Amino acid sequence: MKNVVRRRYVKNLATNINRLVCLVQIRDAHNQRSNELNIHNIPPPSKKFDLIGPADKKSNLRPVVFHVPHNETSLQCRYRQMRKETHEWNQAFWADHNEKFFKEKEDFVKRKLKEKQLSVEGPEARLSADELSEFYKEFLDKNFVLHANYNREWYKKNLRLLYPAFQVFLEKIYNKVFKR
Amino acid sequence: MYRQCSHFSAWQIRKHFKSKILSSNNGLIAEIRSASVKTGLKTDEDYGTGSMFNDQETKIRYASNGQEKFPQKYKQVPLTLFVKKSKTLIMLDEISEKFTVTFPKSEDTLTIDIGPEDYAKLRSMMEKDKREQSPAHNPESITECIWQEMKTDNKKLMQYYLKLSKIRLTGLVVLTAMAGYAMAPAAFDPIGFTMVTLGTGLTSASANAINQFFEVPFDSQMNRTKNRVLVRGYLSPLHAVTFAAVSGSVGLVVLALGANPLTAAIGAFNLGLYTLVYTPMKRLTIANTWVGSVVGAVPPLMGWAACTGSLEPGAWIMAAIMFCWQFPHFNALSWNLRPDYSRAGYRMMSVVDPSLCKRVALRHTVGITGLCFLAPMVGLTTPLFPVMSLPLNLYFTYLGWKFYQQGDSSSSRKLFRFSLLHIPLLIVLMIVNKPLKKNNSKNSEDNHVTHSIDDQR
């Protein structure tokens, strides 16, 4: 296959799909450990805009790389800091939360299978949806306060970001119109 | 040497083999890992009925009958097929146990035979329920895996707005409002009708946009909603909120001026109920389903009020039917999304109290049947309506009963799909059975007048 793939085609594709696709390392085919696609993405440098990336494996949130312009004003700087802080807080919460979820689910499945005296490995090692729903209910009830607090915080942070965003927007227009 | 995206590597195969059928006898072994495979089922963003397959490793062997330009023996090369969401590119042919890769642009087809054992393995991997995997492990298209600039693409703005307003849901809401207008016992005014349609659509769009703005991190956690506009960063949150504010205010103004203030008041109430009560409540208590059902029941009231200017008992019966319909519809939908809802922290009946979920769904299917019998008593429809709608309602109840008994993904899906069919048909039957305006009453009025005049003489 060596002579099948030529660098010409690599270049063609690169220009065709998206110039932002950088080094994509595809996991070695011999690595049988995980059968999921593992793309390591390095965000390309952007001259004007923020970048939003593929969903983080742990938190399912999309990371954002903020672009810092040369002539950044204080309003823009403050807005960017707020956004960054919100993103990081969100990322930390969900990564931790999801990890907890999957770990507790695994423990539950193991426990249930032991009770049913089935082997943990093997094709029968699956609980029915009804049995799993017990775990889902348990998880929700256990984390009720945590979720409620997170919701309150998230609503506050989300709404607080609106006014600075509006200020930045107005400032941009003002600069465009009056400072030309 | 790694390739950026073997979508084009597959092209290489095509270029050299031109739709040859590759049999498992001899030749090259290349390992293909396909990232995601999409079947012909269209992924309905709002309803999550599409199925998704995940990564598989398969081997391609192809026949080389000595006429190809490259040598027969090759070393293993990793290939990854990225399949774009928009077209069905990979299909499993169950009869001949091969699978085909179709390239839509060139309309070329590559048929790949991987041998019976590998095919069986592939099939079992695809049938494994991968819906429990989180969205980050379930890429559906390459656009989900790459970095993108956060600039608003103005050419796609209309598309983004439609997605932001959950256009399919908004369409159904508008349909129910139009039904409310049609069933109201006052004269049909085309301008009023258009105004109420427009106003309801805009208000509903605004409500949905605000809902999406509030729920960005939760939507990222669920496979069904991971490709929403704000989650992907196609629009900034400020943009979405501005859209919501503008469309909401314009919608309410249109309702107030084009229809009447009562309609606008009901619309504003519904908007507030959905965005400020239902959306936060989804994460706190299962009572959110009841609030959400009220939200769904209000549009016919809006249509009715726009026509007659007040809410007669007939309007309330219509609203009650819509209210009851929401339960089998939503409970069936949420039944298959239990893992996602649990991980995202939503408190829905299907997760918190599954038996209640099934009971409530059944209860309300019976309720719809009962309410249809009540309809002629308030003058909403002729007495023929309950009779005509009985088969429809009975089948709906039957599906509800099946869901109550079995409580599995197939019965819930059947119930959900039929609910989408049930309500438009019911509305059509209602409109067909609308009582005609009687001329007798007018004559009797004249008689009374002449009598009184005679009496006075």
Side-chain angles (χ1 to χ4, degrees):
Chain A
M1 282 286 254
K2 267 192 290 194
N3 42 0
V4 171
V5 176
R6 309 215 191 272
R7 291 194 70 212
R8 187 157 47 99
Y9 292 110
V10 176
K11 233 184 181 179
N12 256 342
L13 185 79
T15 49
N16 277 346
I17 28 173
N18 192 322
R19 263 196 259 157
L20 296 181
V21 176
C22 276
L23 292 173
V24 173
Q25 288 180 5
I26 301 171
R27 202 183 259 271
D28 182 20
H30 291 288
N31 191 340
Q32 302 286 330
R33 200 167 19 106
S34 84
N35 62 345
E36 56 181 65
L37 200 65
N38 205 338
I39 300 175
H40 302 288
N41 266 331
I42 302 166
S46 169
K47 295 214 175 113
K48 269 178 88 182
F49 302 103
D50 298 336
L51 293 167
I52 189 163
D56 179 67
K57 296 280 178 193
K58 290 213 187 115
S59 70
N60 293 315
L61 300 175
R62 290 175 175 271
V64 178
V65 169
F66 295 99
H67 167 70
V68 186
H70 293 298
N71 48 358
E72 195 184 40
T73 64
S74 66
L75 273 180
Q76 286 175 344
C77 181
R78 191 166 70 100
Y79 176 54
R80 183 174 53 89
Q81 303 287 18
M82 281 178 81
R83 278 176 77 197
K84 196 164 181 200
E85 193 214 316
T86 309
H87 269 98
E88 281 168 5
W89 171 78
N90 244 339
Q91 163 79 15
F93 175 83
W94 282 107
D96 177 58
H97 176 267
N98 286 346
E99 217 176 297
K100 238 196 315 183
F101 180 83
F102 284 118
K103 184 171 168 308
E104 287 185 18
K105 185 172 174 197
E106 233 182 273
D107 291 339
F108 177 84
V109 170
K110 284 207 181 97
R111 200 165 22 107
K112 273 282 160 166
L113 286 175
K114 263 204 193 88
E115 277 176 30
K116 290 169 76 177
Q117 286 162 352
L118 288 169
S119 64
V120 179
E121 308 297 327
E124 299 98 37
R126 287 186 66 196
L127 293 180
S128 74
D130 281 332
E131 289 163 330
L132 273 177
S133 70
E134 212 184 290
F135 162 71
Y136 295 139
K137 175 172 166 47
E138 208 184 290
F139 184 79
L140 268 188
D141 290 337
K142 227 186 338 177
N143 289 293
F144 180 71
V145 179
L146 182 74
H147 284 160
N149 286 336
Y150 170 77
N151 293 339
R152 212 177 318 130
E153 277 303 312
W154 160 247
Y155 272 65
K156 263 199 277 187
K157 287 193 152 81
N158 200 18
L159 291 170
R160 274 205 199 129
L161 277 175
L162 277 180
Y163 185 57
F166 188 56
Q167 284 179 314
V168 164
F169 173 71
L170 286 180
E171 192 187 45
K172 201 166 46 152
I173 294 187
Y174 177 81
N175 287 339
K176 252 195 205 165
V177 172
F178 292 111
K179 292 217 177 145
R180 265 296 182 90
Chain B
M1 162 70 183
Y2 291 122
R3 285 161 274 296
Q4 289 198 354
C5 165
S6 354
H7 184 78
F8 75 95
S9 301
W11 281 86
Q12 304 318 304
I13 300 176
R14 177 193 67 82
K15 275 190 182 297
H16 286 268
F17 298 115
K18 299 244 181 207
S19 333
K20 278 201 170 52
I21 293 185
L22 315 173
S23 77
S24 56
N25 291 331
N26 47 21
L28 172 77
I29 298 173
E31 285 193 18
I32 287 189
R33 302 171 78 202
S34 64
S36 67
V37 169
K38 188 95 176 44
T39 62
L41 282 175
K42 189 166 168 238
T43 298
D44 187 333
E45 230 189 323
D46 286 324
Y47 299 119
T49 51
S51 59
M52 257 177 354
F53 304 128
N54 235 338
D55 314 337
Q56 310 99 22
E57 275 196 27
T58 68
K59 291 186 167 48
I60 292 185
R61 294 164 219 246
Y62 43 80
S64 55
N65 48 14
Q67 283 169 8
E68 283 74 22
K69 292 179 188 165
F70 45 89
Q72 296 221 351
K73 283 238 170 86
Y74 303 85
K75 58 178 183 191
Q76 280 193 350
V77 165
L79 265 188
T80 306
L81 279 176
F82 272 105
V83 180
K84 262 190 156 172
K85 187 184 170 182
S86 52
K87 313 260 181 207
T88 309
L89 283 184
I90 292 195
M91 296 190 302
L92 286 188
D93 186 355
E94 308 216 352
I95 301 168
S96 60
E97 287 196 340
K98 300 189 178 86
F99 69 91
T100 55
V101 183
T102 317
F103 299 91
K105 274 198 185 147
S106 60
E107 291 175 359
D108 259 316
T109 309
L110 176 68
T111 309
I112 299 169
D113 179 7
I114 50 174
E117 336 83 38
D118 282 337
Y119 183 84
K121 198 168 116 187
L122 176 66
R123 276 207 56 198
S124 67
M125 281 166 110
M126 287 169 111
E127 276 158 29
K128 193 172 169 190
D129 184 17
K130 290 280 192 170
R131 258 183 261 119
E132 300 202 8
Q133 287 260 22
S134 48
H137 299 263
N138 266 344
E140 280 177 44
S141 76
I142 189 163
T143 55
E144 288 181 35
C145 308
I146 57 180
W147 285 83
Q148 288 179 318
E149 285 180 341
M150 281 178 91
K151 62 174 174 188
T152 23
D153 186 352
N154 287 317
K155 290 183 226 140
K156 289 197 177 167
L157 212 55
M158 200 58 220
Q159 198 187 3
Y160 292 152
Y161 286 159
L162 289 178
K163 288 207 180 124
L164 201 58
S165 63
K166 292 195 212 169
I167 191 68
R168 267 179 278 220
L169 184 61
T170 302
L172 284 177
V173 164
V174 164
L175 223 67
T176 49
M178 291 202 285
Y181 193 98
M183 289 303 294
F188 180 88
D189 172 27
I191 296 181
F193 182 71
T194 322
M195 290 291 130
V196 84
T197 316
L198 197 65
T200 311
L202 286 171
T203 316
S204 167
S206 157
N208 285 315
I210 295 274
N211 172 277
Q212 289 199 16
F213 164 72
F214 280 150
E215 308 225 300
V216 171
F218 313 122
D219 284 343
S220 336
Q221 305 297 324
M222 307 204 297
N223 279 308
R224 182 175 70 107
T225 53
K226 64 183 173 175
N227 286 322
R228 287 212 169 141
V229 173
L230 289 176
V231 174
R232 297 283 236 122
Y234 292 140
L235 294 176
S236 72
L238 180 67
H239 196 150
V241 170
T242 315
F243 168 77
V246 167
S247 75
S249 34
V250 170
L252 290 176
V253 162
V254 162
L255 284 177
L257 299 178
N260 54 48
L262 175 63
T263 318
I266 302 175
F269 166 75
N270 212 22
L271 180 59
L273 197 66
Y274 183 71
T275 54
L276 302 174
V277 181
Y278 171 68
T279 304
M281 230 174 145
K282 277 204 281 190
R283 310 189 52 79
L284 297 174
T285 153
I286 58 172
N288 68 72
T289 315
W290 279 263
V291 172
S293 302
V294 171
V295 173
V298 161
L301 290 178
M302 285 167 72
W304 188 288
C307 189
T308 64
S310 63
L311 293 172
E312 282 86 23
W316 296 106
I317 295 285
M318 261 197 100
I321 293 180
M322 282 305 301
F323 177 81
C324 286
W325 176 82
Q326 307 288 335
F327 288 98
H329 173 78
F330 183 70
N331 285 357
L333 169 68
S334 66
W335 192 258
N336 290 327
L337 300 173
R338 280 178 289 178
D340 278 353
Y341 277 143
S342 169
R343 193 182 56 246
Y346 284 117
R347 300 189 69 84
M348 300 295 175
M349 267 193 279
S350 57
V351 184
V352 172
D353 197 345
S355 54
L356 178 70
C357 181
K358 293 187 278 190
R359 264 196 330 264
V360 162
L362 180 63
R363 212 186 283 167
H364 286 269
T365 55
V366 174
I368 294 181
T369 317
L371 279 169
C372 286
F373 277 94
L374 220 55
M377 291 190 213
V378 294
L380 177 66
T381 61
T382 61
L384 197 54
F385 169 67
V387 177
M388 281 177 86
S389 64
L390 200 61
L392 201 66
N393 290 335
L394 282 181
Y395 185 58
F396 198 38
T397 312
Y398 167 73
L399 287 178
W401 172 248
K402 275 278 166 212
F403 174 56
Y404 176 72
Q405 274 197 316
Q406 293 171 3
D408 60 356
S409 67
S410 75
S411 56
S412 65
R413 224 170 293 163
K414 276 203 197 116
L415 180 63
F416 172 73
R417 291 213 180 125
F418 188 70
S419 77
L420 291 176
L421 199 62
H422 172 266
I423 202 68
L425 287 178
L426 198 69
I427 288 175
V428 164
L429 283 176
M430 254 198 252
I431 293 177
V432 162
N433 283 301
K434 183 179 173 184
L436 298 165
K437 273 224 176 97
K438 298 202 178 86
N439 285 325
N440 299 340
S441 55
K442 204 166 168 227
N443 286 340
S444 62
E445 256 180 52
D446 289 339
N447 287 339
H448 280 301
V449 168
T450 48
H451 276 311
S452 59
I453 292 174
D454 285 336
D455 286 343
Q456 279 174 8
R457 269 209 218 126

